[in-house]
Amino acid sequence: MTSNPSPLSPDLIQRFAAIVGPAHALTDAALIEPFVHEPRDRFTGHTNLVLRPGSRDEVSAIMRLASDTRMAVVPQGGNTGLVGGQQPLSANEVILSLSRLNHILDVDPVGRTMVVEAGVVLSRIQDEAERHGCLFPLSLGSEGSCQIGGNLSSNAGGIGVLAYGNARELCLGLEAVLPSGEVFHGLKRLRKDNRGYDLKDLLIGSEGTLAIITAAVLKLYPAPAARELAYVGVDSPEKALRLFQDAQKRAAGELTAFELLPRIGMEFSLKHGVGLRDPLSSPHPWYVLIEITSGHSADDASSTLEEILGHALEEDLIRDAVIAQSLSDAAMFRRIREDMSWAQKPEGGSIKHDIAVPVARVPEFLRRADPAVLEAIPGARIVAFGHLGDGNIHYNISQPVGADREAYLARWEEINAIVHGIVRDMGGTFSAEHGIGQLKREELARTAGHVEIDLMKRIKAVFDPYNILNPGKVI
Amino acid sequence: MTSNPSPLSPDLIQRFAAIVGPAHALTDAALIEPFVHEPRDRFTGHTNLVLRPGSRDEVSAIMRLASDTRMAVVPQGGNTGLVGGQQPLSANEVILSLSRLNHILDVDPVGRTMVVEAGVVLSRIQDEAERHGCLFPLSLGSEGSCQIGGNLSSNAGGIGVLAYGNARELCLGLEAVLPSGEVFHGLKRLRKDNRGYDLKDLLIGSEGTLAIITAAVLKLYPAPAARELAYVGVDSPEKALRLFQDAQKRAAGELTAFELLPRIGMEFSLKHGVGLRDPLSSPHPWYVLIEITSGHSADDASSTLEEILGHALEEDLIRDAVIAQSLSDAAMFRRIREDMSWAQKPEGGSIKHDIAVPVARVPEFLRRADPAVLEAIPGARIVAFGHLGDGNIHYNISQPVGADREAYLARWEEINAIVHGIVRDMGGTFSAEHGIGQLKREELARTAGHVEIDLMKRIKAVFDPYNILNPGKVI
């Protein structure tokens, strides 16, 4: 299925605009600008119309009209996606922004649920949970601007997945508008419901190609009593993995983050981040960021963390470690990690990967991928960082110092092929958390089994027979 | 879609038997007998053929032949389902038993995964996990005979859902045979994978109507250091709920079971169970079974449990409590709970419900449902027990003492209508964990939104265009 939208005539623009009101139908290029650029500047879209509906019923009316006229619609949340899923492929595709559906509809701290519209920004949900003595554990670098509808559409991951799961695991119910304009009513606040096929999980992660999520019921957790964070220097990914296994045994569900960071990523963060310093006194080849969360007390969290680190020192698993002594220490530790993504930008071109392999095989993956990449591009700077506890590594490769950016980026697919070949051989995935979007659509079609692709295509046709909803994405 | 299978001719029986070998194609009524009766004796099926394939390829060959000849096939695991999903509706439907696919294919205690064939019995998986220092937390009354394929097909719940989730949350990957005989290859050992639509979760909970699960990758947890169990007497469901909230705050992820039990259920268990005694010295209107699991130590689990109970006594939330002092105490506490299902049988007819409402509304549900039921059937004995922490109550109603069993059971649908009406009004579900099967199919069709039903039907047609796989179930 490819995108082949009808032209967006002035008359049609008028009819769409009438649904949301002229103030919320943007046709001016300057106003449209922020909707067609995404953070990495990799996918610049074009559109002649951005609609900003204010309610589910307006979303539904837009889709009815789109369905009647066979116009393509691209749903967009906070526009922070990394695979181009939220960008139109043609100027005739209408962007439907969910950002005005930004109401928190209900918070139930006893039943630990929150009902939100799709356009609510993630950090607002985190804050609202906290105000009610609860925790919403989804946590991403872009949490200050990404929206929950986008998080669910892309089944977002992030740092909290280790203990709490992806966005999928944090959602109890959904409301969504189908391409036909019909509404799927599934705002259930139930912990358990086995009535028929799991349509909710089919919509989650479908990247806005099956339906437009308009509201969701989120799962809250009791607010933890305390969190403790340590910054740890280690020799190698092998030792980091052994540290992970030991920490998991000692802390079980209290181990709420375990991130692997390479020295070069640390250097990029320190060089380009403002107000950051190396938490440890001397450099180490690799680092691990460990978070322990206790439901009981700060003492409990500290003693668990100290037990883990003490044992690791004895066993020679780690070289050095420091525990955050203040909120500002903790914030800085987190920022070194979070800044690692964008701190690659000033270093020139970066060829990105979002891979996962079985957790125990991450060191093996790195041992195989690094020499293969360096053979292809001598001098390439490999910034392999991320969620070791999930087996998910952002295996990003910055260009050699002084190389030509464009010439380097032209080798994107060649390098992907090398890295993903190793991943495939290890039973891994080339898209652990960022999704497919437009970036990885061909790769999905090429590498997934024909049975799987065929099922996906036929499911797409069930929901979207005219292929008007986010065409050319995913499948 | 209804079942309308072709007749199962002797020639066809021969062709099916040739796939599995004559020893594994049962046509003798005595041999077939155990496959067509289920534990509650509610759904007695009939079939002229039970096939016991020994491999995925044989399952695939069976489905290819079934597809070519338009024969209906009913997949069956441990035959413990409670809604008749595993029973044929006509003698022309072939039962396909997965019980010979009973191999544990791989255990990875580092990556914490286990790969199993569909016919492995749940308790064997639990034991195997334990042997490797891990925990597989799915835990059901029928765990000694139910099979993991059936657990996944029905998205089984049970006691561990509170902390670990349903079967769905415990599965990383699936292999399944489609009605066409094609194989869906999804045995992924990855913690994260965002490649396209979530077909795995569509198959989980589809009760063998979309595909036959033949193998799965399961998620393991580190084996806990200790578990502590308390039996608690409380005044009312309201107080039990407040106890739950407090326990959840103090224990967070360490609260691994929270079951509500009524006095009458306790009496049934004590009366009909062998070797059980009331753990508390005097009777109480309600009971709660609390389990605390610690990754650290027995001391840690005990102190958390004591803190919860101490606080609850101070706040007058509970009347009395006892902590299991030995493994045999703990086993008995669990048996009182587990025996509560079948201990209703000797008390005559029982009209069952498997409802869930938002957790905080369980007491309200009971306040509304009890008088409505007693008005309809004075003297009915309500045995409302189950997973308070999930909002899921097995709201079972035993006949009045001395009533006629058949006349009582004839009122099943009338009583369902009363109870489910209240549940619906509260945003709840009439099938929290047992599924739809044949028992609740009409009710699903009648009560779900037409958009949802329509999507389910069209998805069924994508997988099973000839309606040969478990026809007449779910949708």
Side-chain angles (χ1 to χ4, degrees):
Chain A
M1 264 183 260
T2 54
S3 168
N4 185 20
S6 326
L8 191 57
S9 68
D11 170 60
L12 250 182
I13 290 180
Q14 280 292 330
R15 291 169 68 193
F16 277 118
I19 294 169
V20 296
H24 301 298
L26 315 181
T27 52
D28 184 284
L31 294 175
I32 286 175
E33 176 76 10
F35 294 88
V36 292
H37 283 102
E38 47 75 50
R40 282 189 184 165
D41 282 335
R42 197 178 149 81
F43 303 99
T44 302
H46 298 281
T47 185
N48 295 318
L49 181 62
V50 173
L51 295 173
R52 302 182 68 237
S55 68
R56 178 200 73 196
D57 289 346
E58 288 183 7
V59 175
S60 173
I62 291 168
M63 291 315 302
R64 272 200 305 276
L65 178 56
S67 187
D68 288 347
T69 56
R70 306 287 194 269
M71 293 303 307
V73 171
V74 180
Q76 188 177 99
N79 192 15
T80 61
L82 298 171
V83 289
Q86 75 277 24
Q87 287 300 323
L89 298 179
S90 130
N92 285 320
E93 295 179 15
V94 177
I95 289 180
L96 188 159
S97 164
L98 277 305
S99 51
R100 286 180 62 225
L101 274 72
N102 60 358
H103 300 94
I104 292 175
L105 302 175
D106 183 68
V107 186
D108 172 3
V110 179
R112 288 181 293 110
T113 54
M114 190 188 299
V115 188
V116 296
E117 289 185 319
V120 180
V121 169
L122 176 55
S123 61
R124 229 184 105 205
I125 295 173
Q126 296 166 340
D127 293 347
E128 187 73 8
E130 204 177 319
R131 284 206 321 120
H132 287 81
C134 292
L135 170 73
F136 184 65
L138 190 66
S139 175
L140 314 174
S142 60
E143 61 198 24
S145 54
C146 64
Q147 296 171 8
I148 192 66
N151 296 147
L152 290 166
S153 298
S154 61
N155 187 28
I159 285 179
V161 174
L162 182 61
Y164 304 100
N166 275 48
R168 178 183 308 288
E169 277 88 44
L170 302 173
C171 177
L172 296 174
L174 282 183
E175 175 192 82
V177 172
L178 303 189
S180 62
E182 290 173 301
V183 178
F184 169 76
H185 295 281
L187 282 185
K188 301 180 297 188
R189 302 175 195 210
L190 305 170
R191 298 270 151 184
K192 277 174 162 178
D193 189 11
N194 271 349
R195 281 177 296 177
Y197 303 154
D198 183 7
L199 300 176
K200 170 182 70 101
D201 281 308
L202 191 55
L203 297 184
I204 293 174
S206 69
E207 305 183 34
T209 64
L210 299 181
I212 300 174
I213 294 172
T214 50
V217 181
L218 305 176
K219 214 191 263 185
L220 303 180
Y221 285 79
R227 289 170 193 241
E228 295 287 337
L229 209 59
Y231 213 95
V232 182
V234 296
D235 270 330
S236 64
E238 284 77 5
K239 289 204 169 172
L241 177 68
R242 285 173 55 199
L243 176 63
F244 170 68
Q245 292 168 244
D246 184 71
Q248 185 116 57
K249 209 156 58 188
R250 289 170 198 274
E254 297 183 345
L255 180 64
T256 47
F258 196 98
E259 298 286 309
L260 179 70
L261 313 168
R263 175 68 199 171
I264 191 172
M266 171 80 134
E267 283 168 5
F268 286 3
S269 287
L270 294 175
K271 185 168 158 195
H272 303 294
V274 175
L276 300 183
R277 57 171 178 75
D278 189 337
L280 298 173
S281 50
S282 57
H284 302 283
W286 292 86
Y287 299 90
V288 168
L289 188 67
I290 304 182
E291 185 186 70
I292 299 291
T293 299
S294 171
H296 301 298
S297 65
D299 279 358
D300 184 61
S302 300
S303 75
T304 303
L305 189 51
E306 282 160 16
E307 184 195 324
I308 291 167
L309 296 176
H311 180 263
L313 275 169
E314 271 170 35
E315 295 284 307
D316 196 30
L317 292 181
I318 64 178
R319 294 163 50 129
D320 197 4
V322 57
I323 297 179
Q325 297 300 317
S326 63
L327 289 176
S328 72
D329 276 4
M332 193 191 68
F333 291 7
R334 284 183 160 275
R335 271 195 50 216
I336 294 173
R337 160 66 183 86
E338 281 162 16
D339 288 359
M340 208 159 281
S341 298
W342 70 257
Q344 293 158 44
K345 220 169 177 174
E347 295 290 331
S350 171
I351 296 175
K352 315 272 187 197
H353 304 84
D354 167 37
I355 67 99
V357 292
V359 178
R361 299 185 73 180
V362 170
E364 179 192 344
F365 163 74
L366 295 171
R367 276 197 311 272
R368 290 172 64 175
D370 289 3
V373 165
L374 291 172
E375 192 188 323
I377 307 191
R381 293 168 299 164
I382 300 170
V383 188
F385 69 104
H387 320 295
L388 177 60
D390 305 321
N392 174 200
I393 298 296
H394 299 303
Y395 191 78
N396 295 347
I397 306 162
S398 285
Q399 66 178 54
V401 175
D404 177 74
R405 186 172 183 277
E406 294 313 309
Y408 177 74
L409 289 178
R411 301 183 67 180
W412 188 291
E413 289 182 14
E414 171 198 348
I415 301 304
N416 276 187
I418 293 171
V419 173
H420 292 172
I422 294 166
V423 167
R424 197 161 53 245
D425 186 54
M426 295 178 69
T429 173
F430 60 81
S431 184
E433 60 175 14
H434 296 164
I436 299 298
Q438 37 179 308
L439 179 64
K440 300 182 179 179
R441 185 180 173 230
E442 275 177 35
E443 185 156 5
L444 178 66
R446 200 171 61 239
T447 57
H450 79 275
V451 171
E452 201 171 341
I453 290 290
D454 183 52
L455 286 171
M456 289 190 200
K457 282 188 177 164
R458 288 156 69 195
I459 288 169
K460 166 74 172 172
V462 161
F463 283 81
D464 187 14
Y466 307 128
N467 193 27
I468 57 167
L469 190 60
N470 218 1
K473 313 291 166 59
V474 183
I475 192 75
Chain B
M1 266 183 258
T2 54
S3 169
N4 185 20
S6 325
L8 193 55
S9 67
D11 170 61
L12 249 180
I13 290 179
Q14 280 293 332
R15 291 169 68 192
F16 277 118
I19 294 169
V20 296
H24 301 297
L26 315 180
T27 52
D28 183 283
L31 295 174
I32 285 175
E33 176 77 10
F35 295 89
V36 292
H37 284 102
E38 47 76 46
R40 282 189 185 165
D41 282 334
R42 200 180 147 79
F43 303 99
T44 302
H46 298 280
T47 185
N48 296 318
L49 182 61
V50 173
L51 296 174
R52 304 180 68 237
S55 68
R56 179 201 73 198
D57 289 345
E58 288 184 7
V59 175
S60 171
I62 291 168
M63 291 316 302
R64 271 199 308 274
L65 178 56
S67 186
D68 287 348
T69 57
R70 305 289 194 267
M71 293 304 307
V73 171
V74 180
Q76 189 178 98
N79 193 16
T80 61
L82 297 170
V83 290
Q86 75 278 24
Q87 287 302 323
L89 299 179
S90 131
N92 286 319
E93 296 179 17
V94 177
I95 291 181
L96 187 159
S97 164
L98 277 304
S99 51
R100 286 181 62 226
L101 274 72
N102 60 357
H103 300 94
I104 293 176
L105 302 175
D106 182 70
V107 186
D108 172 4
V110 180
R112 287 182 294 109
T113 55
M114 191 189 299
V115 188
V116 296
E117 288 186 319
V120 181
V121 168
L122 176 54
S123 61
R124 227 184 106 204
I125 294 173
Q126 296 166 339
D127 294 345
E128 186 72 10
E130 205 178 318
R131 285 207 319 121
H132 287 82
C134 293
L135 170 74
F136 183 64
L138 191 67
S139 175
L140 314 174
S142 59
E143 60 198 26
S145 54
C146 64
Q147 296 170 8
I148 191 67
N151 296 146
L152 290 166
S153 298
S154 61
N155 188 27
I159 286 181
V161 175
L162 182 61
Y164 303 100
N166 275 48
R168 180 184 304 292
E169 276 88 43
L170 302 174
C171 176
L172 296 174
L174 282 183
E175 175 192 83
V177 172
L178 303 190
S180 62
E182 291 173 302
V183 179
F184 169 75
H185 295 282
L187 282 185
K188 300 180 298 187
R189 304 174 194 210
L190 304 171
R191 298 271 151 183
K192 278 173 160 178
D193 189 11
N194 271 348
R195 282 177 296 178
Y197 303 154
D198 184 7
L199 301 175
K200 168 182 70 102
D201 282 309
L202 191 56
L203 298 184
I204 294 174
S206 69
E207 304 182 35
T209 64
L210 300 181
I212 301 174
I213 293 172
T214 48
V217 182
L218 305 176
K219 215 193 260 187
L220 303 179
Y221 285 80
R227 288 169 194 242
E228 295 288 337
L229 209 57
Y231 213 94
V232 182
V234 296
D235 271 329
S236 64
E238 286 76 6
K239 289 204 171 171
L241 178 67
R242 285 173 54 201
L243 176 63
F244 170 68
Q245 292 168 242
D246 185 69
Q248 184 117 60
K249 208 156 63 191
R250 289 171 198 273
E254 296 182 347
L255 179 65
T256 46
F258 196 98
E259 298 287 308
L260 179 70
L261 314 167
R263 176 67 199 169
I264 190 172
M266 172 81 132
E267 283 167 4
F268 286 4
S269 288
L270 294 176
K271 188 168 156 197
H272 303 293
V274 175
L276 300 181
R277 58 171 176 75
D278 189 337
L280 298 172
S281 51
S282 57
H284 303 283
W286 292 86
Y287 299 90
V288 168
L289 188 67
I290 304 182
E291 185 185 72
I292 299 291
T293 299
S294 170
H296 302 300
S297 65
D299 279 359
D300 183 60
S302 302
S303 75
T304 302
L305 188 52
E306 282 161 17
E307 182 195 323
I308 291 167
L309 297 175
H311 179 262
L313 276 169
E314 271 171 35
E315 296 283 309
D316 196 30
L317 292 181
I318 65 179
R319 293 160 52 127
D320 197 5
V322 57
I323 296 179
Q325 297 300 316
S326 62
L327 288 176
S328 72
D329 277 4
M332 194 193 65
F333 291 8
R334 284 185 162 270
R335 270 195 52 215
I336 295 174
R337 160 67 183 85
E338 281 162 16
D339 287 359
M340 208 158 283
S341 298
W342 70 258
Q344 293 158 41
K345 221 168 176 176
E347 295 290 330
S350 171
I351 298 176
K352 315 272 187 196
H353 304 85
D354 167 37
I355 68 100
V357 293
V359 178
R361 299 184 73 181
V362 169
E364 178 192 346
F365 163 73
L366 295 171
R367 278 198 310 273
R368 290 172 64 175
D370 288 2
V373 166
L374 291 172
E375 193 188 321
I377 307 189
R381 294 168 298 163
I382 299 170
V383 188
F385 70 103
H387 321 294
L388 177 61
D390 306 323
N392 174 199
I393 299 295
H394 299 303
Y395 191 78
N396 294 348
I397 307 164
S398 284
Q399 66 178 53
V401 175
D404 178 74
R405 186 172 183 276
E406 293 313 311
Y408 176 75
L409 288 178
R411 300 182 68 180
W412 188 292
E413 288 184 13
E414 172 199 348
I415 302 303
N416 277 185
I418 293 171
V419 173
H420 292 171
I422 294 166
V423 167
R424 198 161 50 246
D425 187 55
M426 295 178 70
T429 174
F430 60 81
S431 184
E433 59 175 15
H434 295 165
I436 299 299
Q438 39 179 308
L439 180 64
K440 301 183 179 180
R441 183 178 174 230
E442 275 176 33
E443 185 155 2
L444 178 66
R446 201 171 62 240
T447 57
H450 78 275
V451 170
E452 203 171 338
I453 291 290
D454 183 52
L455 286 171
M456 287 189 202
K457 283 188 176 165
R458 288 157 68 196
I459 287 169
K460 167 73 172 170
V462 162
F463 282 81
D464 187 15
Y466 308 128
N467 192 29
I468 57 166
L469 190 61
N470 218 359
K473 314 292 167 58
V474 184
I475 192 75

